[in-house]
Amino acid sequence: MKNSYINGHEYVDLGLPSGLKWATCNVGANKPEDYGNYYAWGETGTKSSYGKSNSKTYGKQMNDIKGNSQYDAARSNWGGNWRMPTKTEMQELINNCTWEWMPQNGKNGYKVTGPNGNKIFLPAAGGRHGSSLYLAGESGYYWSSTPYESYSNIAYYLYFGSSEHSVGYYGRDYGRSVRPVLE
């Protein structure tokens, strides 16, 4: 497969029905297995502590933030057409790809293989709350751009552990990974 880049960041066409392309690294990472940075939902910068008291979007009624550089960590940090995936696009990744839990260069995560055989690696980067990193190497938490419809303190995210992967929702104040996409 030929490497494809936009704004210096590599992406892969997994052959998904939507045609969506997925980045090979998290925002803030230089290699696929690197954890990268952690962001509270709707925020574009990192911080030393994550909580309700310093969350910019906790309790704020919002629409989907995809592509809005004021709130979308992928667009703000990578520029171009990079953006955070929606809840629906994360579900498409689950529904249409094969997921294999494995280590890559010493870091646990999932090798996700698309219908066309192309692959990405999602590291189990854990998450941040308060000033602590938790469950690194055991679980992955990746923000979507989609807020929860009826409760303004939470948003949707991709969750996985060694035996499961699903889309759920959780408090916007938590620090999570961001894996950018392109249309």
Side-chain angles (χ1 to χ4, degrees), residues 22 83-87 89-90 143-146 179-181:
W22 284 78
R83 63 170 177 81
M84 294 167 67
T86 65
K87 168 193 169 194
E89 291 162 345
M90 288 182 158
W143 280 128
S144 81
S145 62
T146 310
R179 178 60 65 98
V181 296

Side-chain angles (χ1 to χ4, degrees), residues 1-2 4 11-22 92-93 95-98 111-120:
M1 183 186 91
K2 178 181 161 284
S4 301
Y11 67 89
V12 174
D13 180 354
L14 296 169
L16 296 169
S18 68
L20 195 71
K21 317 295 188 280
W22 284 78
E92 178 187 52
L93 192 70
N95 294 347
N96 292 280
C97 296
T98 303
K111 177 175 70 173
V112 180
T113 305
N116 63 7
N118 292 338
K119 303 165 180 46
I120 59 171

Side-chain angles (χ1 to χ4, degrees), residues 30-99:
N30 294 316
K31 296 183 289 196
E33 65 273 9
D34 288 348
Y35 295 161
N37 296 333
Y38 299 85
Y39 300 91
W41 189 84
E43 296 184 24
T44 59
T46 60
K47 44 194 178 182
S48 59
S49 183
Y50 294 79
K52 294 174 186 168
S53 64
N54 69 352
S55 171
K56 295 177 182 171
T57 69
Y58 193 84
K60 190 174 175 184
Q61 199 63 40
M62 297 178 70
N63 294 318
D64 196 294
I65 60 172
K66 77 174 186 178
N68 181 336
S69 59
Q70 184 179 352
Y71 301 108
D72 184 325
R75 177 68 53 92
S76 176
N77 287 279
W78 283 16
N81 291 324
W82 289 108
R83 63 170 177 81
M84 294 167 67
T86 65
K87 168 193 169 194
T88 302
E89 291 162 345
M90 288 182 158
Q91 193 62 54
E92 178 187 52
L93 192 70
I94 291 171
N95 294 347
N96 292 280
C97 296
T98 303
W99 291 62

